[in-house]
Amino acid sequence: MNVSNKYPTAHYRALDAAHHLHPFSDTKSLNAEGARVIVGGQGVWLTDSEGNRILDGMAGLWCVNIGHGRREIAEAVQQQMSEISYYNTFFKTTHPPAVDLAALLAEVAPPHFNRVFFTGSGSESNDTVLRMVRTYWATLGKPDKQVVIARRNAYHGSTVAGASLGGMTPMHKQGGLPIPGIHHIAQPYWFDDGGEMSPEDFGLWAAQELERAIDAIGEDKVAAFIAEPIQGAGGVIIPPATYWPEIKRICDEREILLVADEVICGFGRLGRWFGSEYFGVEPDLMPIAKGLSSGYLPIGGVMVSDKVAAVLMETGDFNHGFTYSAHPVACAAAIANLKIIRDEKLVERVANDIGPYLQKRWLALGDHPLVGEARMVGLMGALELVPAKPSRRRFEGDGKVGLLCRDFSFRNGLVMRAVRDSMILSPPLVISHDEADELIRIATKTLDDTHAELKRQGLMG
Ligand SMILES: *Cc1c(COP(=O)(O)O)cnc(C)c1O
């Protein structure tokens, strides 16, 4: 691929600093440092403006499942733009890409999902969820069932509803969130919160927090429980094996809807089309985005089960939607993307081939003196950095070690993300065995570099 950056890095950095406010960033300190300029991407590899090749261990932001730079998507998009580049779906109209994508989603989703509501992003999908679950109960004559139970340290997006459903304290602190009607319970994060309990006991306890919350609020007031199958932005938190079966039991016994936020776990990340399938749960709604288009164009949606759809059919007008709901060009990109995932058997590849291959090598990083736990399901993993294993005690400084490690990783040629002192990995599903070996080689060097620096600073032990 021919990448052309017409100007030197300093040119982009200066204009970026002058005019661009970055998401989730301290713009002042970023400007002092200068942003890294990414100019190209092919497969799992990124190229920056200095000509460095970097292995994209995060698939962009958990989304580029088919890898960067696929011509099929560019061609599908170009073709669609030349036919009908935009039309809405509000006023008794539809178009072929909306229809084809909806039908394709019904084909790959579990059998009880046959309908989708399109949005432009994961956040919009969760805004849609909030209004949909409340409308569902109102239509059934139970307008008091309004409260949505979510989890602390969950991520459901950055719009007002998304951030409110999410359980990120730093987000709640800005802008007066969460909005009323949302209740947060414990997350199933044994490594940090498990105390003296076994993972199995802790998983049961965390799940039963849902039952206790329903009883405290009153079942006649609770609309739904929302959760990511595996928390992504919270730190790739893989619940203990006891957690999801217990949640399923509670949701089966109680009259509330279960919403699985599949924005990251969907589309092959866990070696199933949807993460809830990996854990054997049957949600009523599934917000989707990210891997739906592999990030080539922004698009999201909410998969609606037959049970919920049957009620919505009786609602009359659902007064909700977005200008770009079912944007034809974004739909065309998503269709081409899903066909690649299906025809190249990427889901099966994660379950049976590259998943087990990378997991084995990643879990072996748990032997490193800096790593208190290594975990991975499908192609979604984390390393917990600690000063004195086997203790789960954390470093002082609330995430400084994670940032140090992340900077070493970038310099060594691998994108890993730091969530406090957890190192996070979520590479494209097309990563080859050789590339996985290279990833592990760089991750090992990065742990060694970080460990040496922490020893030098007297912070280990
Ligand atoms: C990224 C993410 C969202 C928000 O998606 P956006 O497209 O950024 O709005 C919602 N839920 C989960 C689980 C996510 O990871």
Side-chain angles (χ1 to χ4, degrees), residues 24 61-62 120-126 154-159 162 226-233 261-265 287-290 298-300 380 417:
F24 286 98
L61 256 183
W62 323 86
S121 68
S123 301
E124 288 177 14
S125 301
N126 283 318
Y155 190 77
H156 297 299
S158 198
T159 51
I226 183 169
E228 304 152 81
I230 291 176
Q231 281 155 271
D261 184 337
E262 295 277 1
V263 171
I264 289 176
C265 295
I288 54 177
K290 295 197 169 116
I299 182 168
M380 192 172 176
R417 176 169 169 183

PDB file of all heavy atoms in Angstrom, residues 24 61-62 120-126 154-159 162 226-233 261-265 287-290 298-300 380 417, ligand 1:
ATOM      1  N   PHE A  24     -11.740  11.812  25.427  1.00  0.00           N
ATOM      2  CA  PHE A  24     -11.130  11.159  26.595  1.00  0.00           C
ATOM      3  C   PHE A  24      -9.659  11.533  26.745  1.00  0.00           C
ATOM      4  O   PHE A  24      -8.816  10.658  26.950  1.00  0.00           O
ATOM      5  CB  PHE A  24     -11.277   9.630  26.508  1.00  0.00           C
ATOM      6  CG  PHE A  24     -12.673   9.148  26.793  1.00  0.00           C
ATOM      7  CD1 PHE A  24     -13.558   8.859  25.755  1.00  0.00           C
ATOM      8  CD2 PHE A  24     -13.112   8.984  28.098  1.00  0.00           C
ATOM      9  CE1 PHE A  24     -14.849   8.420  26.033  1.00  0.00           C
ATOM     10  CE2 PHE A  24     -14.402   8.540  28.382  1.00  0.00           C
ATOM     11  CZ  PHE A  24     -15.277   8.266  27.336  1.00  0.00           C
ATOM     12  N   LEU A  61     -10.181   0.697  18.023  1.00  0.00           N
ATOM     13  CA  LEU A  61     -10.797   0.723  19.361  1.00  0.00           C
ATOM     14  C   LEU A  61     -11.731  -0.486  19.446  1.00  0.00           C
ATOM     15  O   LEU A  61     -12.930  -0.334  19.429  1.00  0.00           O
ATOM     16  CB  LEU A  61     -11.599   2.016  19.563  1.00  0.00           C
ATOM     17  CG  LEU A  61     -11.006   3.122  20.434  1.00  0.00           C
ATOM     18  CD1 LEU A  61     -11.987   4.277  20.554  1.00  0.00           C
ATOM     19  CD2 LEU A  61     -10.615   2.619  21.807  1.00  0.00           C
ATOM     20  N   TRP A  62     -11.186  -1.670  19.479  1.00  0.00           N
ATOM     21  CA  TRP A  62     -11.931  -2.938  19.589  1.00  0.00           C
ATOM     22  C   TRP A  62     -12.812  -3.206  18.371  1.00  0.00           C
ATOM     23  O   TRP A  62     -13.760  -3.993  18.476  1.00  0.00           O
ATOM     24  CB  TRP A  62     -12.881  -2.958  20.785  1.00  0.00           C
ATOM     25  CG  TRP A  62     -12.522  -2.329  22.065  1.00  0.00           C
ATOM     26  CD1 TRP A  62     -12.686  -1.026  22.421  1.00  0.00           C
ATOM     27  CD2 TRP A  62     -11.984  -2.978  23.229  1.00  0.00           C
ATOM     28  NE1 TRP A  62     -12.292  -0.830  23.726  1.00  0.00           N
ATOM     29  CE2 TRP A  62     -11.863  -2.012  24.244  1.00  0.00           C
ATOM     30  CE3 TRP A  62     -11.597  -4.300  23.513  1.00  0.00           C
ATOM     31  CZ2 TRP A  62     -11.373  -2.292  25.521  1.00  0.00           C
ATOM     32  CZ3 TRP A  62     -11.131  -4.574  24.775  1.00  0.00           C
ATOM     33  CH2 TRP A  62     -11.020  -3.584  25.762  1.00  0.00           C
ATOM     34  N   GLY A 120     -26.295   5.073  14.713  1.00  0.00           N
ATOM     35  CA  GLY A 120     -25.002   5.454  14.158  1.00  0.00           C
ATOM     36  C   GLY A 120     -23.813   5.013  14.994  1.00  0.00           C
ATOM     37  O   GLY A 120     -22.668   5.170  14.569  1.00  0.00           O
ATOM     38  N   SER A 121     -24.060   4.468  16.208  1.00  0.00           N
ATOM     39  CA  SER A 121     -22.946   4.151  17.106  1.00  0.00           C
ATOM     40  C   SER A 121     -23.435   3.270  18.247  1.00  0.00           C
ATOM     41  O   SER A 121     -24.645   3.086  18.436  1.00  0.00           O
ATOM     42  CB  SER A 121     -22.376   5.435  17.704  1.00  0.00           C
ATOM     43  OG  SER A 121     -23.329   6.016  18.596  1.00  0.00           O
ATOM     44  N   GLY A 122     -22.490   2.792  19.045  1.00  0.00           N
ATOM     45  CA  GLY A 122     -22.841   2.017  20.229  1.00  0.00           C
ATOM     46  C   GLY A 122     -23.574   2.857  21.262  1.00  0.00           C
ATOM     47  O   GLY A 122     -24.510   2.387  21.916  1.00  0.00           O
ATOM     48  N   SER A 123     -23.148   4.109  21.418  1.00  0.00           N
ATOM     49  CA  SER A 123     -23.817   4.982  22.383  1.00  0.00           C
ATOM     50  C   SER A 123     -25.275   5.209  21.992  1.00  0.00           C
ATOM     51  O   SER A 123     -26.179   5.108  22.828  1.00  0.00           O
ATOM     52  CB  SER A 123     -23.107   6.336  22.450  1.00  0.00           C
ATOM     53  OG  SER A 123     -21.764   6.193  22.823  1.00  0.00           O
ATOM     54  N   GLU A 124     -25.506   5.512  20.738  1.00  0.00           N
ATOM     55  CA  GLU A 124     -26.884   5.703  20.273  1.00  0.00           C
ATOM     56  C   GLU A 124     -27.693   4.420  20.446  1.00  0.00           C
ATOM     57  O   GLU A 124     -28.897   4.462  20.699  1.00  0.00           O
ATOM     58  CB  GLU A 124     -26.896   6.119  18.800  1.00  0.00           C
ATOM     59  CG  GLU A 124     -26.427   7.544  18.560  1.00  0.00           C
ATOM     60  CD  GLU A 124     -26.391   7.891  17.076  1.00  0.00           C
ATOM     61  OE1 GLU A 124     -26.965   7.152  16.244  1.00  0.00           O
ATOM     62  OE2 GLU A 124     -25.781   8.917  16.734  1.00  0.00           O
ATOM     63  N   SER A 125     -27.023   3.294  20.304  1.00  0.00           N
ATOM     64  CA  SER A 125     -27.724   2.015  20.494  1.00  0.00           C
ATOM     65  C   SER A 125     -28.206   1.901  21.930  1.00  0.00           C
ATOM     66  O   SER A 125     -29.327   1.435  22.191  1.00  0.00           O
ATOM     67  CB  SER A 125     -26.803   0.844  20.143  1.00  0.00           C
ATOM     68  OG  SER A 125     -26.385   0.952  18.798  1.00  0.00           O
ATOM     69  N   ASN A 126     -27.375   2.326  22.888  1.00  0.00           N
ATOM     70  CA  ASN A 126     -27.791   2.219  24.287  1.00  0.00           C
ATOM     71  C   ASN A 126     -28.812   3.288  24.674  1.00  0.00           C
ATOM     72  O   ASN A 126     -29.656   3.047  25.537  1.00  0.00           O
ATOM     73  CB  ASN A 126     -26.567   2.220  25.200  1.00  0.00           C
ATOM     74  CG  ASN A 126     -25.894   0.849  25.180  1.00  0.00           C
ATOM     75  OD1 ASN A 126     -26.587  -0.171  25.216  1.00  0.00           O
ATOM     76  ND2 ASN A 126     -24.584   0.812  25.093  1.00  0.00           N
ATOM     77  N   ALA A 154     -18.887  -0.441  34.247  1.00  0.00           N
ATOM     78  CA  ALA A 154     -19.330  -0.883  32.917  1.00  0.00           C
ATOM     79  C   ALA A 154     -19.094   0.247  31.931  1.00  0.00           C
ATOM     80  O   ALA A 154     -19.004   1.414  32.327  1.00  0.00           O
ATOM     81  CB  ALA A 154     -20.814  -1.225  32.952  1.00  0.00           C
ATOM     82  N   TYR A 155     -19.011  -0.078  30.630  1.00  0.00           N
ATOM     83  CA  TYR A 155     -18.964   0.967  29.604  1.00  0.00           C
ATOM     84  C   TYR A 155     -20.098   0.749  28.611  1.00  0.00           C
ATOM     85  O   TYR A 155     -20.184  -0.322  27.987  1.00  0.00           O
ATOM     86  CB  TYR A 155     -17.617   0.979  28.860  1.00  0.00           C
ATOM     87  CG  TYR A 155     -17.507   2.215  27.995  1.00  0.00           C
ATOM     88  CD1 TYR A 155     -17.215   3.453  28.556  1.00  0.00           C
ATOM     89  CD2 TYR A 155     -17.756   2.158  26.628  1.00  0.00           C
ATOM     90  CE1 TYR A 155     -17.164   4.606  27.784  1.00  0.00           C
ATOM     91  CE2 TYR A 155     -17.704   3.307  25.846  1.00  0.00           C
ATOM     92  CZ  TYR A 155     -17.399   4.528  26.430  1.00  0.00           C
ATOM     93  OH  TYR A 155     -17.357   5.666  25.668  1.00  0.00           O
ATOM     94  N   HIS A 156     -20.971   1.747  28.499  1.00  0.00           N
ATOM     95  CA  HIS A 156     -22.066   1.651  27.533  1.00  0.00           C
ATOM     96  C   HIS A 156     -22.117   2.871  26.619  1.00  0.00           C
ATOM     97  O   HIS A 156     -23.156   3.157  26.032  1.00  0.00           O
ATOM     98  CB  HIS A 156     -23.404   1.458  28.263  1.00  0.00           C
ATOM     99  CG  HIS A 156     -23.465   0.172  29.054  1.00  0.00           C
ATOM    100  ND1 HIS A 156     -23.337  -1.075  28.470  1.00  0.00           N
ATOM    101  CD2 HIS A 156     -23.602  -0.067  30.386  1.00  0.00           C
ATOM    102  CE1 HIS A 156     -23.418  -2.018  29.404  1.00  0.00           C
ATOM    103  NE2 HIS A 156     -23.568  -1.442  30.574  1.00  0.00           N
ATOM    104  N   GLY A 157     -20.993   3.601  26.507  1.00  0.00           N
ATOM    105  CA  GLY A 157     -20.951   4.723  25.580  1.00  0.00           C
ATOM    106  C   GLY A 157     -20.876   6.055  26.290  1.00  0.00           C
ATOM    107  O   GLY A 157     -20.812   6.127  27.526  1.00  0.00           O
ATOM    108  N   SER A 158     -20.888   7.130  25.511  1.00  0.00           N
ATOM    109  CA  SER A 158     -20.578   8.448  26.046  1.00  0.00           C
ATOM    110  C   SER A 158     -21.672   9.489  25.842  1.00  0.00           C
ATOM    111  O   SER A 158     -21.508  10.636  26.211  1.00  0.00           O
ATOM    112  CB  SER A 158     -19.261   8.943  25.446  1.00  0.00           C
ATOM    113  OG  SER A 158     -18.726   9.982  26.222  1.00  0.00           O
ATOM    114  N   THR A 159     -22.806   9.110  25.243  1.00  0.00           N
ATOM    115  CA  THR A 159     -23.954  10.017  25.268  1.00  0.00           C
ATOM    116  C   THR A 159     -24.503  10.044  26.691  1.00  0.00           C
ATOM    117  O   THR A 159     -24.064   9.276  27.548  1.00  0.00           O
ATOM    118  CB  THR A 159     -25.058   9.508  24.321  1.00  0.00           C
ATOM    119  OG1 THR A 159     -25.306   8.140  24.650  1.00  0.00           O
ATOM    120  CG2 THR A 159     -24.637   9.606  22.860  1.00  0.00           C
ATOM    121  N   GLY A 162     -25.901   6.682  27.525  1.00  0.00           N
ATOM    122  CA  GLY A 162     -24.823   5.683  27.511  1.00  0.00           C
ATOM    123  C   GLY A 162     -23.917   5.817  28.720  1.00  0.00           C
ATOM    124  O   GLY A 162     -23.613   4.835  29.403  1.00  0.00           O
ATOM    125  N   ILE A 226     -28.713  -4.442  32.237  1.00  0.00           N
ATOM    126  CA  ILE A 226     -27.816  -4.356  31.087  1.00  0.00           C
ATOM    127  C   ILE A 226     -26.390  -4.698  31.510  1.00  0.00           C
ATOM    128  O   ILE A 226     -25.934  -4.258  32.574  1.00  0.00           O
ATOM    129  CB  ILE A 226     -27.852  -2.961  30.418  1.00  0.00           C
ATOM    130  CG1 ILE A 226     -26.950  -2.940  29.185  1.00  0.00           C
ATOM    131  CG2 ILE A 226     -27.457  -1.844  31.386  1.00  0.00           C
ATOM    132  CD1 ILE A 226     -27.115  -1.713  28.307  1.00  0.00           C
ATOM    133  N   ALA A 227     -25.708  -5.508  30.682  1.00  0.00           N
ATOM    134  CA  ALA A 227     -24.324  -5.874  30.989  1.00  0.00           C
ATOM    135  C   ALA A 227     -23.596  -6.291  29.722  1.00  0.00           C
ATOM    136  O   ALA A 227     -24.194  -6.840  28.799  1.00  0.00           O
ATOM    137  CB  ALA A 227     -24.296  -7.031  31.987  1.00  0.00           C
ATOM    138  N   GLU A 228     -22.308  -6.002  29.705  1.00  0.00           N
ATOM    139  CA  GLU A 228     -21.440  -6.545  28.660  1.00  0.00           C
ATOM    140  C   GLU A 228     -21.116  -7.998  29.026  1.00  0.00           C
ATOM    141  O   GLU A 228     -20.789  -8.268  30.185  1.00  0.00           O
ATOM    142  CB  GLU A 228     -20.130  -5.754  28.600  1.00  0.00           C
ATOM    143  CG  GLU A 228     -20.278  -4.254  28.394  1.00  0.00           C
ATOM    144  CD  GLU A 228     -19.102  -3.480  29.008  1.00  0.00           C
ATOM    145  OE1 GLU A 228     -18.048  -3.401  28.388  1.00  0.00           O
ATOM    146  OE2 GLU A 228     -19.251  -2.968  30.139  1.00  0.00           O
ATOM    147  N   PRO A 229     -21.146  -8.916  28.055  1.00  0.00           N
ATOM    148  CA  PRO A 229     -20.754 -10.308  28.363  1.00  0.00           C
ATOM    149  C   PRO A 229     -19.372 -10.357  29.038  1.00  0.00           C
ATOM    150  O   PRO A 229     -19.205 -11.014  30.058  1.00  0.00           O
ATOM    151  CB  PRO A 229     -20.747 -10.977  26.994  1.00  0.00           C
ATOM    152  CG  PRO A 229     -21.789 -10.225  26.222  1.00  0.00           C
ATOM    153  CD  PRO A 229     -21.661  -8.785  26.666  1.00  0.00           C
ATOM    154  N   ILE A 230     -18.388  -9.656  28.462  1.00  0.00           N
ATOM    155  CA  ILE A 230     -17.113  -9.387  29.126  1.00  0.00           C
ATOM    156  C   ILE A 230     -16.947  -7.876  29.097  1.00  0.00           C
ATOM    157  O   ILE A 230     -17.042  -7.272  28.026  1.00  0.00           O
ATOM    158  CB  ILE A 230     -15.934 -10.057  28.389  1.00  0.00           C
ATOM    159  CG1 ILE A 230     -15.998 -11.580  28.524  1.00  0.00           C
ATOM    160  CG2 ILE A 230     -14.600  -9.537  28.922  1.00  0.00           C
ATOM    161  CD1 ILE A 230     -14.916 -12.329  27.742  1.00  0.00           C
ATOM    162  N   GLN A 231     -16.729  -7.255  30.266  1.00  0.00           N
ATOM    163  CA  GLN A 231     -16.516  -5.803  30.273  1.00  0.00           C
ATOM    164  C   GLN A 231     -15.244  -5.507  29.479  1.00  0.00           C
ATOM    165  O   GLN A 231     -14.180  -6.063  29.770  1.00  0.00           O
ATOM    166  CB  GLN A 231     -16.348  -5.303  31.700  1.00  0.00           C
ATOM    167  CG  GLN A 231     -17.647  -5.154  32.455  1.00  0.00           C
ATOM    168  CD  GLN A 231     -17.413  -5.257  33.953  1.00  0.00           C
ATOM    169  OE1 GLN A 231     -17.459  -6.345  34.497  1.00  0.00           O
ATOM    170  NE2 GLN A 231     -17.147  -4.130  34.591  1.00  0.00           N
ATOM    171  N   GLY A 232     -15.359  -4.584  28.508  1.00  0.00           N
ATOM    172  CA  GLY A 232     -14.206  -4.247  27.688  1.00  0.00           C
ATOM    173  C   GLY A 232     -13.411  -3.104  28.275  1.00  0.00           C
ATOM    174  O   GLY A 232     -12.357  -3.300  28.883  1.00  0.00           O
ATOM    175  N   ALA A 233     -13.944  -1.884  28.126  1.00  0.00           N
ATOM    176  CA  ALA A 233     -13.226  -0.694  28.584  1.00  0.00           C
ATOM    177  C   ALA A 233     -12.943  -0.732  30.081  1.00  0.00           C
ATOM    178  O   ALA A 233     -11.989  -0.115  30.556  1.00  0.00           O
ATOM    179  CB  ALA A 233     -14.022   0.560  28.226  1.00  0.00           C
ATOM    180  N   ASP A 261     -24.938  -6.003  26.121  1.00  0.00           N
ATOM    181  CA  ASP A 261     -24.256  -5.014  25.282  1.00  0.00           C
ATOM    182  C   ASP A 261     -23.139  -5.733  24.517  1.00  0.00           C
ATOM    183  O   ASP A 261     -22.084  -6.043  25.057  1.00  0.00           O
ATOM    184  CB  ASP A 261     -23.697  -3.880  26.151  1.00  0.00           C
ATOM    185  CG  ASP A 261     -23.067  -2.770  25.303  1.00  0.00           C
ATOM    186  OD1 ASP A 261     -22.679  -3.055  24.145  1.00  0.00           O
ATOM    187  OD2 ASP A 261     -22.955  -1.636  25.796  1.00  0.00           O
ATOM    188  N   GLU A 262     -23.427  -5.999  23.237  1.00  0.00           N
ATOM    189  CA  GLU A 262     -22.535  -6.794  22.385  1.00  0.00           C
ATOM    190  C   GLU A 262     -21.636  -5.917  21.522  1.00  0.00           C
ATOM    191  O   GLU A 262     -21.091  -6.383  20.519  1.00  0.00           O
ATOM    192  CB  GLU A 262     -23.378  -7.703  21.475  1.00  0.00           C
ATOM    193  CG  GLU A 262     -24.188  -8.755  22.216  1.00  0.00           C
ATOM    194  CD  GLU A 262     -23.363  -9.997  22.546  1.00  0.00           C
ATOM    195  OE1 GLU A 262     -22.161 -10.022  22.208  1.00  0.00           O
ATOM    196  OE2 GLU A 262     -23.939 -10.930  23.148  1.00  0.00           O
ATOM    197  N   VAL A 263     -21.475  -4.651  21.894  1.00  0.00           N
ATOM    198  CA  VAL A 263     -20.735  -3.731  21.021  1.00  0.00           C
ATOM    199  C   VAL A 263     -19.305  -4.225  20.791  1.00  0.00           C
ATOM    200  O   VAL A 263     -18.796  -4.139  19.673  1.00  0.00           O
ATOM    201  CB  VAL A 263     -20.787  -2.291  21.578  1.00  0.00           C
ATOM    202  CG1 VAL A 263     -19.845  -1.377  20.815  1.00  0.00           C
ATOM    203  CG2 VAL A 263     -22.214  -1.742  21.478  1.00  0.00           C
ATOM    204  N   ILE A 264     -18.665  -4.770  21.828  1.00  0.00           N
ATOM    205  CA  ILE A 264     -17.331  -5.349  21.634  1.00  0.00           C
ATOM    206  C   ILE A 264     -17.401  -6.856  21.408  1.00  0.00           C
ATOM    207  O   ILE A 264     -16.746  -7.393  20.510  1.00  0.00           O
ATOM    208  CB  ILE A 264     -16.422  -5.063  22.856  1.00  0.00           C
ATOM    209  CG1 ILE A 264     -16.039  -3.583  22.906  1.00  0.00           C
ATOM    210  CG2 ILE A 264     -15.164  -5.935  22.803  1.00  0.00           C
ATOM    211  CD1 ILE A 264     -15.217  -3.191  24.120  1.00  0.00           C
ATOM    212  N   CYS A 265     -18.197  -7.559  22.223  1.00  0.00           N
ATOM    213  CA  CYS A 265     -18.159  -9.029  22.212  1.00  0.00           C
ATOM    214  C   CYS A 265     -18.809  -9.623  20.970  1.00  0.00           C
ATOM    215  O   CYS A 265     -18.576 -10.793  20.654  1.00  0.00           O
ATOM    216  CB  CYS A 265     -18.806  -9.575  23.480  1.00  0.00           C
ATOM    217  SG  CYS A 265     -17.880  -9.140  24.978  1.00  0.00           S
ATOM    218  N   PRO A 287     -27.578  -4.436  21.946  1.00  0.00           N
ATOM    219  CA  PRO A 287     -26.945  -3.320  21.250  1.00  0.00           C
ATOM    220  C   PRO A 287     -25.656  -3.783  20.556  1.00  0.00           C
ATOM    221  O   PRO A 287     -24.895  -4.561  21.136  1.00  0.00           O
ATOM    222  CB  PRO A 287     -26.645  -2.308  22.355  1.00  0.00           C
ATOM    223  CG  PRO A 287     -26.854  -3.025  23.652  1.00  0.00           C
ATOM    224  CD  PRO A 287     -27.685  -4.233  23.394  1.00  0.00           C
ATOM    225  N   ILE A 288     -25.455  -3.313  19.322  1.00  0.00           N
ATOM    226  CA  ILE A 288     -24.288  -3.690  18.527  1.00  0.00           C
ATOM    227  C   ILE A 288     -23.676  -2.448  17.880  1.00  0.00           C
ATOM    228  O   ILE A 288     -24.351  -1.430  17.717  1.00  0.00           O
ATOM    229  CB  ILE A 288     -24.658  -4.720  17.413  1.00  0.00           C
ATOM    230  CG1 ILE A 288     -25.810  -4.183  16.541  1.00  0.00           C
ATOM    231  CG2 ILE A 288     -25.035  -6.062  18.026  1.00  0.00           C
ATOM    232  CD1 ILE A 288     -26.182  -5.089  15.373  1.00  0.00           C
ATOM    233  N   ALA A 289     -22.415  -2.517  17.522  1.00  0.00           N
ATOM    234  CA  ALA A 289     -21.730  -1.456  16.760  1.00  0.00           C
ATOM    235  C   ALA A 289     -20.334  -2.015  16.418  1.00  0.00           C
ATOM    236  O   ALA A 289     -20.217  -3.181  16.057  1.00  0.00           O
ATOM    237  CB  ALA A 289     -21.652  -0.152  17.536  1.00  0.00           C
ATOM    238  N   LYS A 290     -19.307  -1.218  16.577  1.00  0.00           N
ATOM    239  CA  LYS A 290     -17.901  -1.637  16.388  1.00  0.00           C
ATOM    240  C   LYS A 290     -17.711  -2.724  15.307  1.00  0.00           C
ATOM    241  O   LYS A 290     -17.690  -2.405  14.128  1.00  0.00           O
ATOM    242  CB  LYS A 290     -17.301  -2.055  17.729  1.00  0.00           C
ATOM    243  CG  LYS A 290     -17.225  -0.866  18.698  1.00  0.00           C
ATOM    244  CD  LYS A 290     -16.298  -1.058  19.873  1.00  0.00           C
ATOM    245  CE  LYS A 290     -16.094   0.248  20.610  1.00  0.00           C
ATOM    246  NZ  LYS A 290     -16.581   0.270  21.978  1.00  0.00           N
ATOM    247  N   PRO A 298     -19.129   4.484  10.519  1.00  0.00           N
ATOM    248  CA  PRO A 298     -19.878   4.407  11.776  1.00  0.00           C
ATOM    249  C   PRO A 298     -21.280   3.853  11.563  1.00  0.00           C
ATOM    250  O   PRO A 298     -22.033   4.379  10.746  1.00  0.00           O
ATOM    251  CB  PRO A 298     -19.945   5.871  12.244  1.00  0.00           C
ATOM    252  CG  PRO A 298     -19.295   6.703  11.209  1.00  0.00           C
ATOM    253  CD  PRO A 298     -18.931   5.863  10.044  1.00  0.00           C
ATOM    254  N   ILE A 299     -21.584   2.801  12.300  1.00  0.00           N
ATOM    255  CA  ILE A 299     -22.953   2.261  12.288  1.00  0.00           C
ATOM    256  C   ILE A 299     -23.135   1.402  13.537  1.00  0.00           C
ATOM    257  O   ILE A 299     -22.198   0.753  13.999  1.00  0.00           O
ATOM    258  CB  ILE A 299     -23.240   1.440  11.001  1.00  0.00           C
ATOM    259  CG1 ILE A 299     -24.700   0.949  11.009  1.00  0.00           C
ATOM    260  CG2 ILE A 299     -22.265   0.279  10.833  1.00  0.00           C
ATOM    261  CD1 ILE A 299     -25.163   0.374   9.663  1.00  0.00           C
ATOM    262  N   GLY A 300     -24.335   1.431  14.072  1.00  0.00           N
ATOM    263  CA  GLY A 300     -24.692   0.582  15.199  1.00  0.00           C
ATOM    264  C   GLY A 300     -26.133   0.139  15.059  1.00  0.00           C
ATOM    265  O   GLY A 300     -26.795   0.437  14.054  1.00  0.00           O
ATOM    266  N   MET A 380      -9.598 -11.593  23.263  1.00  0.00           N
ATOM    267  CA  MET A 380      -9.829 -10.461  24.154  1.00  0.00           C
ATOM    268  C   MET A 380      -9.155 -10.795  25.477  1.00  0.00           C
ATOM    269  O   MET A 380      -9.577 -11.737  26.158  1.00  0.00           O
ATOM    270  CB  MET A 380     -11.342 -10.316  24.325  1.00  0.00           C
ATOM    271  CG  MET A 380     -11.805  -9.062  24.981  1.00  0.00           C
ATOM    272  SD  MET A 380     -13.624  -9.003  24.859  1.00  0.00           S
ATOM    273  CE  MET A 380     -13.906  -7.522  25.813  1.00  0.00           C
ATOM    274  N   ARG A 417      -3.550  -1.350  25.267  1.00  0.00           N
ATOM    275  CA  ARG A 417      -4.163  -0.249  25.984  1.00  0.00           C
ATOM    276  C   ARG A 417      -3.965  -0.491  27.482  1.00  0.00           C
ATOM    277  O   ARG A 417      -3.908  -1.632  27.916  1.00  0.00           O
ATOM    278  CB  ARG A 417      -5.651  -0.226  25.638  1.00  0.00           C
ATOM    279  CG  ARG A 417      -6.461   0.803  26.374  1.00  0.00           C
ATOM    280  CD  ARG A 417      -7.835   0.895  25.728  1.00  0.00           C
ATOM    281  NE  ARG A 417      -8.748   1.673  26.545  1.00  0.00           N
ATOM    282  CZ  ARG A 417     -10.024   1.854  26.236  1.00  0.00           C
ATOM    283  NH1 ARG A 417     -10.522   1.312  25.145  1.00  0.00           N
ATOM    284  NH2 ARG A 417     -10.804   2.572  27.013  1.00  0.00           N
TER     285      ARG A 417
HETATM  286  C1  LIG B   1     -17.560   1.329  22.572  1.00  0.00           C
HETATM  287  C2  LIG B   1     -18.698   0.833  23.353  1.00  0.00           C
HETATM  288  C3  LIG B   1     -19.937   1.501  23.346  1.00  0.00           C
HETATM  289  C4  LIG B   1     -20.109   2.843  22.678  1.00  0.00           C
HETATM  290  O1  LIG B   1     -19.948   2.778  21.321  1.00  0.00           O
HETATM  291  P1  LIG B   1     -19.653   4.143  20.489  1.00  0.00           P
HETATM  292  O2  LIG B   1     -19.721   3.687  19.066  1.00  0.00           O
HETATM  293  O3  LIG B   1     -18.309   4.628  20.918  1.00  0.00           O
HETATM  294  O4  LIG B   1     -20.719   5.104  20.822  1.00  0.00           O
HETATM  295  C5  LIG B   1     -20.990   0.927  24.004  1.00  0.00           C
HETATM  296  N1  LIG B   1     -20.871  -0.247  24.640  1.00  0.00           N
HETATM  297  C6  LIG B   1     -19.700  -0.912  24.687  1.00  0.00           C
HETATM  298  C7  LIG B   1     -19.624  -2.221  25.391  1.00  0.00           C
HETATM  299  C8  LIG B   1     -18.566  -0.380  24.067  1.00  0.00           C
HETATM  300  O5  LIG B   1     -17.405  -1.000  24.151  1.00  0.00           O
END
